[in-house]
């Protein structure tokens, strides 16, 4: 009975609740939308600020202004035609591989097997190479080293050279001094061609200077001639070891006395 | 029973009548009540529905209209690379309501004069005492000034933000862009030509992209401006155009104005020499005459030999050359040394009717087809167009066209002979390339390449050469008409060039109005001395930007012309 009489009331209440629920959902949606619009508004405002700032930067850095700065301070010019390259290939063409002579590593080993058979040919020319006075005492000990290091490879040559021509010892001082520049030159420009060209150049001057220089010229040539029968590596090694010689030479006098 | 009852009977009908009336009244009342109830219920229902509708779909109170997207008050104008050339931003405006000023007007006037010294304090005081309701004191005020004025604290001074048109690059491409008036509508250039597009709310949201490249424009303006100053010319004009599409990459007219302050510009500065001005451009016309003759079969080619006397008598006049051959010469030589005598004979062979038809086809007898509204109508001899006028037009005197039209003509000639109308809009998906129309044959176009390259390699345009960029072109020195006569000393020099000549891509036309001789030009005022170097410098600046790779080993087919040129000439040729 009571339930029946309150039935309509319940209906009204449930309707009201449903309506309220719907309204709350709608309210929630509206508030979300408002928040979204707020964000959108802020985006638009930020875009407007961006525009203003971009415009300001653009105006301050306008091309005519840059041109004025360039004329006054930087004075940069348009690149000339030869400063522009067509591609990476042309760029690569500009660089030449740098010729580096590494005196320490592979050449040493390549020359290692050489000592025994080539002592005579190499040595003969090099006798005059001013190593003679220094070289005499060394042969025994240095041969061991010769099979191990470049430095030593040079040494046996001298020792061998010194043996057949003890007379050359007279000129010990002079050849040393005369020989130095030749060695330095060859050190500057390693390679067989350089080695060949150097003596030729040096020849006229030395000939004019003294008769003793003549053997020197001939000294170099036989060296090359002797080098030819060797393997290529040996040839290269022949020229290269000339470079460290000055160092060695300076060191040699120190060593030599102690050795004696 | 009946007798006493009449009284009783009599009222009965009355009562009955009353009952009927009451019922009727009740019915009416019910009806009215129902009607009122329905009305109120309807109203309430209406309101409820409206509320529900608003709750569901309506706007809420805090909603800001029109801010969901940034649509400027007037559309932006961009260059082809997207750099802004014109923009509308909110600028500060300082104004005053004289009636609302509550402080001391004299003190306010003094403070205003201190902050904005363009007017004296007396003038400000007079403004403040006037009866006008509203006076602008400064538009586009700087933020510092606005802050200072605001610090005065006078409520009568109004500080507002209002949309203002700004040209960030100031005078760059000023004539192409134009300007806007105080009402916000375009006064010239693109602003005027595309006013509806830029101001229509439906279209102004998307920017207008021009074919102008601001970098190319700047290079052209700077080099041309230097030359104008150096040779004390009264004016200059320049156009750079894409040969294949007709897009104008740069167009300038000097002296220029600042579109940010159009009110300060003089009429001379406002005058667009590139499109509105028409000039007799002289020998730059010669390639057209030759192309017409070659296309018509009048001339076989660069190898044809013709008579080039010292002076050519023709139709009661004498045609002169600055450096006459006085011998037989080839067409290649006529072109290389810009011989009026040779070209006059070619034009004479071509004839008036054909020349007119060709010029019409090339668009030289009408205004240029560019979108801008400032366009000059070419000047022709009109009814006096006889055989002698045909000759003079053959070498570029007697017909006046705008520099833009000259560029257009060269673009036509070197785009395989196909004409495309010049445009200031970027060719792209929004603005496709309109179909062209054939004017010259492709063969003629090809053969003209080596002829014009020859002019720059060995002829009058040597100073226009930029190593590696294969410029070909033609110098032009036209005598100006002063007081109705051709002046011997006052010239208008021009150069029309195309690069790279082995595969033409861009046309450059530069013009100097009344250049004076300088020490470096040895007293000459001809085009080879003053405008040709501008072309060389400009091209070496813009060509790398335009993707034209320099190549010292490429040239057009010079074997077509070189055999027909006699080498032993004077060392430096300096005529037009």
């Amino acid at each position: 009975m009571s339930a029946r009489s309150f039935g309509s009331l319940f209906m009204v209440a449930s309707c009201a609740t449903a309506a309220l629920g719907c309204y709350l959902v709608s309210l929630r949606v509206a508030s979300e939308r408002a928040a979204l619009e707020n964000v959108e508004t802020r985006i638009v405002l930020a875009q407007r600020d961006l525009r203003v700032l971009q415009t300001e930067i653009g105006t301050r850095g306008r091309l005519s202004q840059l041109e004025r700065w360039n004329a006054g301070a930087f004075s940069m010019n348009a690149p000339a035609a030869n400063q522009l390259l067509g591609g990476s290939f042309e760029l690569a063409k500009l660089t030449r591989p740098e010729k580096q002579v590494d005196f320490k590593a592979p050449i040493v080993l390549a020359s290692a097997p050489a000592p025994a058979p080539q002592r005579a040919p190499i040595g003969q020319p090099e006798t005059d190479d001013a190593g003679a006075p220094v070289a005499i005492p060394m042969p025994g000990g240095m041969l061991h080293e010769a099979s191990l290091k470049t430095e030593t490879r040079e040494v046996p040559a001298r020792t061998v050279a010194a043996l057949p021509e003890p007379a050359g010892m007279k000129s010990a001082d002079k050849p040393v001094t005369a020989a130095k520049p030749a060695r330095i030159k060859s050190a500057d420009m390693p390679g067989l061609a350089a080695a060949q060209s150097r003596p030729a150049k040096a020849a006229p001057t030395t000939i004019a200077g003294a008769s003793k220089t003549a053997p020197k010229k001939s000294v170099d040539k036989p060296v090359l001639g002797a080098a030819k029968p060797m393997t290529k590596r040996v040839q290269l090694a022949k020229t290269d070891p000339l470079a460290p010689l000055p160092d060695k030479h300076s060191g040699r006098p120190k060593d030599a006395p102690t050795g004696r | 029973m009946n007798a006493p009852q009449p009284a009783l009977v009599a009222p009965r009908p009355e009562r009955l009548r009353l009952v009927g009336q009451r019922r009727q009244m009740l019915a009416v009342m019910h009806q009215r009540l129902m009607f009122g109830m329905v009305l109120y219920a309807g109203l309430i229902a209406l309101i409820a529905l409206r509320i529900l509708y608003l709750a569901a779909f309506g706007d809420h109170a805090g909603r800001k209209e029109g801010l969901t997207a940034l649509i400027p008050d007037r559309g932006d104008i961009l260059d082809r690379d997207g750099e802004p050339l014109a923009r509308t931003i909110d600028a500060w405006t300082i104004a005053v309501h004289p009636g609302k000023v509550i402080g001391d007007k004299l003190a306010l006037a003094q403070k205003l004069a201190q902050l904005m010294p363009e007017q004296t304090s007396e003038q400000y005081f007079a403004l403040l005492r006037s009866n006008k309701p509203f006076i602008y004191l400064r538009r586009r005020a700087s933020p510092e000034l606005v802050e200072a004025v605001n610090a005065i604290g006078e409520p009568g001074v109004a500080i507002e933000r209002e949309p203002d048109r700004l040209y960030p690059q100031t005078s760059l491409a000023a004539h192409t862009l134009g300007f806007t008036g105080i009402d916000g509508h375009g006064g010239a250039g693109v602003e005027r030509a595309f006013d509806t597009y830029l101001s229509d709310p439906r279209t102004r949201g998307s920017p207008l992209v021009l074919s102008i490249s601001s970098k190319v424009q700047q290079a052209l303006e700077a080099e041309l401006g230097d030359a104008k100053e150096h040779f004390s010319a009264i004016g200059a004009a320049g156009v750079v155009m894409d040969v294949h599409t007709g897009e104008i990459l740069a167009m300038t007219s000097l002296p220029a104005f600042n579109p940010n302050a159009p009110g300060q510009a003089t009429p001379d500065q406002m005058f667009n020499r590139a499109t509105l001005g028409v000039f007799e451009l002289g020998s730059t016309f010669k390639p057209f005459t030759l192309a017409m003759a070659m296309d018509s079969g009048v001339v076989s080619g660069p190898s044809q030999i013709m008579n080039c006397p010292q002076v050519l008598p023709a139709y009661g006049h004498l045609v002169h050359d600055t450096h006459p051959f006085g011998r037989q010469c080839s067409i290649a030589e006529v072109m290389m040394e810009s011989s009026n005598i040779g070209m006059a004979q070619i034009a004479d062979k071509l004839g008036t009717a054909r020349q007119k038809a060709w010029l019409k086809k090339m668009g030289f007898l009408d205004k240029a087809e560019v979108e801008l509204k400032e366009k000059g109508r070419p000047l022709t001899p009109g009814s006096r167009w006889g055989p002698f006028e045909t000759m003079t037009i053959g070498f570029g005197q007697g017909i006046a066209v705008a520099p833009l039209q000259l560029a257009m003509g060269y673009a036509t000639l070197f785009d395989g002979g196909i004409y495309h109308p010049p445009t200031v809009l970027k060719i792209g998906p929004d603005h496709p390339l309109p179909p062209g129309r054939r004017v010259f044959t492709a063969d003629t176009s090809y053969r003209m390449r080596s002829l014009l390259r020859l002019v720059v390699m060995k002829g009058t345009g040597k100073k226009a050469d930029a190593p590696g960029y294969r410029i070909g072109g033609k110098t032009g020195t036209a005598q100006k008409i002063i007081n109705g006569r051709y002046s011997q000393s006052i010239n208008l020099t021009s150069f029309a060039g195309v690069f790279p000549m082995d595969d033409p891509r861009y046309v450059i036309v530069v013009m100097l109005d009344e250049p004076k001789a300088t020490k470096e030009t040895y007293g000459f005022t001809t085009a080879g001395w003053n405008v040709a170097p501008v072309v060389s410098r400009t091209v070496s600046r813009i060509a790398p930007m335009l993707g034209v790779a320099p190549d010292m080993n490429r040239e057009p087919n010079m074997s077509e012309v070189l055999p027909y040129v006699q080498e032993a000439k004077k060392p430096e040729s300096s005529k037009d």
Side-chain angles (χ1 to χ4, degrees):
Chain A
M1 179 74 177
S2 59
R4 252 208 184 169
S5 58
F6 283 112
S8 56
L9 201 64
F10 284 137
M11 279 296 281
V12 169
S14 56
C15 277
T17 320
L20 200 68
C22 288
Y23 177 68
L24 280 175
V25 169
S26 147
L27 199 67
R28 182 73 197 271
V29 168
S31 69
E32 284 295 322
R33 192 190 290 158
L36 185 68
E37 277 168 10
N38 218 3
V39 171
E40 275 176 358
T41 310
R42 274 165 52 202
I43 290 172
V44 170
L45 288 177
Q47 278 175 343
R48 203 179 64 185
D49 288 351
L50 270 178
R51 255 171 83 86
V52 171
L53 291 173
Q54 274 175 349
T55 313
E56 185 173 346
I57 288 178
T59 313
R60 287 185 193 277
R62 59 188 181 273
L63 288 167
S64 54
Q65 182 67 50
L66 296 180
E67 178 106 21
R68 222 170 295 144
W69 283 336
N70 186 40
F74 307 118
S75 55
M76 286 189 283
N77 287 321
N82 56 8
Q83 287 174 298
L84 297 167
L85 297 176
S88 53
F89 182 75
E90 280 186 44
L91 182 67
K93 252 173 37 175
L94 288 182
T95 61
R96 293 209 182 93
E98 223 175 286
K99 282 182 183 167
Q100 281 186 341
V101 180
D102 188 2
F103 295 110
K104 288 179 181 170
I107 302 166
V108 179
L109 293 170
S111 62
Q118 276 129 31
R119 250 178 235 159
I122 292 172
Q124 272 175 349
E126 285 199 2
T127 44
D128 293 359
D129 219 23
V134 193
I136 298 171
M138 301 190 155
M142 300 320 285
L143 272 170
H144 270 298
E145 288 184 39
S147 64
L148 299 171
K149 290 185 181 177
T150 21
E151 300 161 18
T152 54
R153 208 193 139 265
E154 196 63 29
V155 174
R158 272 176 203 158
T159 55
V160 176
L163 285 171
E165 276 188 40
M169 286 182 62
K170 291 179 223 166
S171 61
D173 294 349
K174 282 174 190 172
V176 169
T177 51
K180 267 181 184 173
R183 282 167 191 166
I184 290 159
K185 275 180 197 168
S186 57
D188 290 341
M189 194 184 282
L192 196 59
Q196 275 173 334
S197 65
R198 277 294 140 72
K201 272 186 188 174
T205 54
T206 48
I207 287 164
S211 61
K212 280 176 188 172
T213 51
K216 247 179 248 164
K217 186 178 72 175
S218 62
V219 162
D220 286 355
K221 279 176 185 170
V223 169
L224 296 168
K228 276 172 191 170
M230 293 186 215
T231 58
K232 276 181 185 175
R233 284 184 181 183
V234 176
Q235 277 180 343
L236 285 169
K238 183 62 223 138
T239 55
D240 291 336
L242 287 173
L245 258 179
D247 299 334
K248 201 178 294 168
H249 199 77
S250 59
R252 188 66 42 77
K254 286 175 192 171
D255 292 346
T258 52
R260 279 180 186 177
Chain B
M1 194 168 164
N2 283 344
Q5 278 180 346
L8 281 173
V9 173
R12 204 176 236 172
E14 240 177 53
R15 211 184 296 151
L16 278 175
R17 222 180 293 141
L18 274 174
V19 170
Q21 274 181 346
R22 190 177 285 173
R23 273 192 189 156
Q24 271 186 344
M25 275 174 71
L26 269 174
V28 169
M29 277 166 70
H30 272 137
Q31 268 186 355
R32 285 179 181 169
L33 269 173
M34 277 302 287
F35 180 73
M37 213 176 76
V38 165
L39 197 71
Y40 278 103
L43 268 176
I44 288 165
L46 205 69
I47 290 167
L49 281 173
R50 176 66 182 158
I51 288 171
L52 278 174
Y53 173 80
L54 285 179
F57 312 105
D59 296 340
H60 63 85
R63 182 148 187 176
K64 291 149 195 109
E65 276 292 334
L67 264 175
T68 45
L70 189 67
I71 295 176
D73 292 278
R74 191 175 168 83
D76 289 357
I77 301 178
L78 307 180
D79 82 342
R80 64 184 302 118
D81 307 317
E83 283 291 316
L85 294 175
R87 262 186 170 174
T88 295
I89 56 162
D90 282 345
W92 289 103
T93 302
I94 301 172
V96 67
H97 302 277
K100 291 185 187 171
V101 174
I102 53 171
D104 182 8
K105 288 188 175 178
L106 192 58
L108 179 63
Q110 280 167 350
K111 278 178 191 160
L112 288 177
Q114 218 173 359
L115 292 170
M116 291 178 279
E118 65 262 19
Q119 295 193 57
T120 62
S121 57
E122 288 81 31
Q123 284 170 317
Y124 279 119
F125 189 55
L127 284 179
L128 290 174
R129 292 191 61 182
S130 67
N131 291 325
K132 289 178 189 165
F134 184 80
I135 303 162
Y136 278 114
L137 295 182
R138 174 74 72 92
R139 313 187 85 163
R140 196 180 289 156
S142 69
E144 294 82 18
L145 180 69
V146 168
E147 209 173 309
V149 171
N150 196 31
I152 298 175
E154 171 57 56
V157 175
I159 296 170
E160 286 164 8
R161 300 205 78 164
E162 64 174 34
D164 198 359
R165 198 72 166 158
L166 182 78
Y167 302 87
Q169 300 286 351
T170 59
S171 64
L172 191 81
H175 291 94
T176 313
L177 288 175
F179 59 89
T180 50
I182 289 179
D183 60 348
H185 288 284
V190 169
E191 294 274 21
R192 182 173 162 216
F194 295 94
D195 195 34
T196 43
Y197 179 89
L198 291 169
S199 51
D200 191 338
R202 282 171 299 176
T203 51
R204 69 189 183 202
S206 56
L208 187 67
V209 182
L210 299 190
S211 61
I212 298 284
S213 160
S214 49
K215 286 177 274 183
V216 175
Q217 177 80 27
Q218 171 62 27
L220 180 68
E221 274 186 26
E223 297 299 341
L224 202 54
D226 281 353
K228 176 180 167 286
E229 208 165 293
H230 189 249
F231 296 107
S232 318
I234 60 166
V239 179
V240 178
M241 217 166 131
D242 191 312
V243 165
H244 302 303
T245 60
E247 288 172 287
I248 298 167
L249 296 173
M251 181 160 68
T252 186
S253 166
L254 298 173
F257 66 97
N258 183 357
N260 290 309
Q264 295 166 11
T266 62
D268 184 43
Q269 289 173 330
M270 287 280 190
F271 183 67
N272 188 348
R273 286 179 159 78
T275 57
L276 187 57
V278 291
F279 306 92
E280 286 182 279
L281 290 167
S283 308
T284 41
F285 245 70
K286 284 175 185 168
F288 302 137
T289 308
L290 185 55
M292 292 171 195
M294 272 162 50
D295 241 21
S296 308
V298 172
V299 166
S300 63
S303 59
Q304 186 172 329
I305 302 293
M306 59 195 303
N307 190 23
C308 299
Q310 297 280 350
V311 176
L312 178 74
Y315 305 103
H317 296 79
L318 289 177
V319 179
H320 294 274
D321 263 350
T322 16
H323 295 280
F325 288 101
R327 59 173 169 87
Q328 302 275 314
C329 61
S330 67
I331 298 285
E333 283 176 313
V334 167
M335 203 64 198
M336 184 178 95
E337 289 300 332
S338 191
S339 164
N340 289 346
I341 291 171
M343 209 48 79
Q345 294 177 72
I346 295 171
D348 195 36
K349 282 185 198 165
L350 187 69
T352 308
R354 270 193 286 198
Q355 189 182 46
K356 265 190 195 172
W358 278 110
L359 289 174
K360 181 80 185 161
K361 242 166 133 183
M362 292 175 72
F364 277 8
L365 301 185
D366 306 295
K367 288 182 179 180
E369 282 186 70
V370 75
E371 294 91 345
L372 302 182
K373 300 236 163 103
E374 299 84 25
K375 288 181 286 192
R377 181 166 288 285
L379 301 176
T380 59
S383 56
R384 294 185 295 104
W385 199 328
F388 182 68
E389 282 69 30
T390 303
M391 279 183 156
T392 60
I393 288 174
F395 52 82
Q397 299 276 169
I399 184 167
V401 297
L404 175 67
Q405 284 178 297
L406 186 72
M408 190 181 86
Y410 272 79
T412 306
L413 188 51
F414 289 98
D415 185 24
I418 292 169
Y419 168 88
H420 286 289
T423 175
V424 291
L425 295 182
K426 187 180 182 181
I427 300 286
D430 302 334
H431 183 239
L433 181 67
R437 68 163 191 265
R438 181 164 288 284
V439 178
F440 298 106
T441 60
D443 184 49
T444 303
S445 168
Y446 179 78
R447 286 158 88 191
M448 290 305 291
R449 292 181 186 179
S450 52
L451 276 166
L452 287 205
R453 179 70 184 134
L454 179 73
V455 175
V456 174
M457 279 172 86
K458 293 180 177 295
T460 54
K462 277 181 212 144
K463 287 182 186 295
D465 200 16
Y469 294 112
R470 296 96 76 196
I471 301 176
K474 187 74 195 72
T475 54
T477 307
Q479 293 159 353
K480 277 190 89 170
I481 298 177
I482 307 289
N483 300 326
R485 307 190 64 179
Y486 280 109
S487 162
Q488 291 302 312
S489 56
I490 298 175
N491 292 340
L492 191 136
T493 59
S494 55
F495 187 94
V498 179
F499 66 95
M501 215 24 155
D502 52 314
D503 179 21
R505 285 175 62 189
Y506 298 100
V507 171
I508 175 169
V509 167
V510 289
M511 182 199 89
L512 280 178
D513 198 353
E514 297 188 18
K516 313 290 183 296
T518 65
K519 197 172 62 184
E520 302 93 78
T521 67
Y522 305 100
F524 290 109
T525 56
T526 47
W529 289 97
N530 44 46
V531 287
V534 175
V535 171
S536 169
R537 285 196 297 268
T538 311
V539 169
S540 46
R541 268 179 78 169
I542 64 174
M545 291 190 251
L546 294 173
V548 176
D551 194 334
M552 305 300 280
N553 303 319
R554 293 186 68 174
E555 285 292 346
N557 187 5
M558 297 308 286
S559 62
E560 290 198 343
V561 290
L562 282 179
Y564 312 112
V565 173
Q566 274 188 29
E567 282 295 340
K569 289 284 291 183
K570 63 244 168 251
E572 195 61 276
S573 59
S574 58
K575 57 182 186 146
D576 49 340

